[in-house]
Amino acid sequence: MAAKPVILAVDDDPQVLRAVARDLRKRYGETYRIVRADSGQAALDTVEALTERGDPIALLLSDQRMPQMDGVGFLQQARALAPKAKRALLTAYADTEAAISAINDSQIDYYLLKPWDPPDQRLYPVLDDLLDDWQASYRPGFGGLRVVGDRWSPQSHAIKDFLARNQIPYEFLDVEASDEAQQIAEKARAYSKEAGGDGAAANVLPLVVLPDGERLLAPAPSDLAEHVGLQTNAAKDFYDLAIVGAGPAGLAGAVYGASEGLRTVLIESHAPGGQAGTSSRIENYLGFPQGLSGADLARRGATQARRFGVEILTPQTATGLRIDGPYKTLTLGDGSEITCHALIISTGVDWRRLPAEGADSLAGSGVYYGAAMTEAMNCKNEDVYIVGAGNSAGQAAMFFADYARRVVMVVRGDSLEAKMSQYLVTRIYETPNIDVRLQTEIQACQGSGHLECVTLIDNATGETEVVDTSFLFVFIGAAPGTEWLGDAVARDQKGFLLTGPMLTDEHLRDWPLERDPFLFETNVPGIFVAGDVRGDSVKRVASAVGEGSITVHFIHRFLATL
């Protein structure tokens, strides 16, 4: 069995150090090993020894005022030794400015003020949150799923992306680089032939090996979901509220709806979090001064929704809508149906396909849509290209800059400031291994089996350039994907859904009620829209959360009239 993860407490005052260790042991002693160090240098030596042994370090909690090496200095140096450990500073009120500076400059996760009594109120809630975040990405190195496949296979990428976005631990074995992977794949081919198959790699890989030894040959995400404990089928036929799309807007609507007594089901085609769930770091979300990843936001939102009794169906899709008076019936991808009184459509948007020659044939094999963070480790010492100029592209550039030799942002416009938050623009230009190429587009993608190079065109001069790269991440445009609704719900020319004041008399010619539609209500009573799929919405996470929660207020007013 693996060693217990370590919480390291650092303070040069023996009495304070004993008190900190006592409180940590009281709360976390069963799950974590509490280790003490009486100086910054001693703590660094301890961290180095722990990492050499392979012992996982969950949290570093250091006092600020120490001789020779203060807490900020220790945590900054410890980051290089244990980059995945959470880092918190214990400081006096007079050192608050130093703590805030440490958050900005040294990537410290949090600071706490002394005294921390009572710990139930002033210490444990903060540490609980940090440790929960650490546990969400902790990979203990044994157990869990094993995925055997080709790193350049679109099918392997789809399986890895599905597991990662649903935060299911797995180990990936590349058949091109691992002898063990090749042996497992050969056994799977033999197994396939014994079962009547042809044993071809295309019909075997990617191979998923479950903890109990069962093999899944080239499974679809929906097949894999059943084996990893995800719910794909609804428990009931009827709900007060159904929500399609589990991005920030859908999760907020689910939390507020279920917490106020509505029987709620949430339907998501891939993984909770939506497009925001793929963001490597959201730094301007209220209440998180160090920022949080999209995966963390998704995990917190889904956990909160389930706590209130929301059924989350994933992966599951809505393929059709039928309206019968006050009842709305959704047809799902597996042919089943769910009926509800109120419906929130919060399906968000998808990235548009890159209009470059060869891009479609290399999708999943070097050309990726969104921040495919599962590919980050493969980008080490590589040149990575990112297409787009919005916040998602900027966050991805900052994320991949920690792994890649160089990140090149390909921007069609003549500035980043037009679509990107200023804090991101500033950081991008301050990061030495990020280059920004304005007025430039991708003209073509080339490669045999996987992406090998792209052709850039300078729109100002018309000159083209071929550059070598195996990684291209695309963040362009926004496609709402609302065709499944048919003609029942009003849309604009681009497919975004119209609500409230945006609806014209023509849209409302069949409106059956004396009142006007509510703010986020469509031309069909009881069907609401929240988030990016709504016409003229603000494309920000906080706005989507606000719309999802506000929509529930109007749903209660709608239900009260039934």
Side-chain angles (χ1 to χ4, degrees), residues 248-250 252 530-532 538 540-549:
D532 290 359
V538 179
R540 290 292 184 269
V541 174
S543 300
V545 170
E547 290 186 13
S549 56

Side-chain angles (χ1 to χ4, degrees), residues 156-178:
S156 294
H157 171 71
I159 290 294
K160 292 191 296 178
D161 187 61
F162 172 76
L163 292 172
R165 290 186 60 186
N166 281 284
Q167 303 189 33
I168 298 168
Y170 71 92
E171 178 186 7
F172 180 69
L173 301 176
D174 183 5
V175 292
E176 296 297 325
S178 167

Side-chain angles (χ1 to χ4, degrees), residues 275 278-284 351 370-371 373 384-402 407-411 415-417 419-431 433-436 473-476 540:
Q275 197 176 93
T278 67
S279 295
S280 55
R281 180 64 54 178
I282 304 169
E283 296 191 63
N284 56 355
W351 299 116
M373 288 181 282
V384 170
Y385 282 73
I386 292 176
V387 184
N391 275 11
S392 294
Q395 290 159 355
M398 293 298 299
F399 173 74
F400 286 112
D402 287 338
V407 174
V408 181
M409 297 192 69
V410 180
V411 179
S415 75
L416 285 180
E417 288 83 354
K419 296 182 179 179
M420 191 180 296
S421 297
Q422 186 59 47
Y423 81 92
L424 262 179
V425 175
T426 301
R427 292 196 175 182
I428 285 170
Y429 281 117
E430 289 177 348
T431 304
N433 65 330
I434 298 180
D435 297 335
V436 180
F473 299 91
V474 182
F475 301 83
I476 58 173
R540 290 292 184 269

Side-chain angles (χ1 to χ4, degrees), residues 152 154 356-367 442-455 466-472:
W152 296 116
E357 181 183 348
D360 285 346
S361 63
L362 293 170
S365 302
V367 177
I442 304 290
Q443 188 179 63
C445 301
Q446 298 94 19
S448 177
H450 66 88
L451 180 68
E452 296 174 350
C453 61
V454 298
T455 302
V466 178
V467 295
D468 293 334
T469 183
S470 295
F471 297 94
L472 176 66

Side-chain angles (χ1 to χ4, degrees), residues 99 105 141 158 199 260 266 294 302 309 417 461 464 483 496 508-509 528 543:
D105 301 333
E260 295 175 13
L266 180 58
E417 288 83 354
T461 64
T464 61
E483 298 83 2
F496 291 92
L508 297 174
R509 62 185 177 185
F528 298 81
S543 300

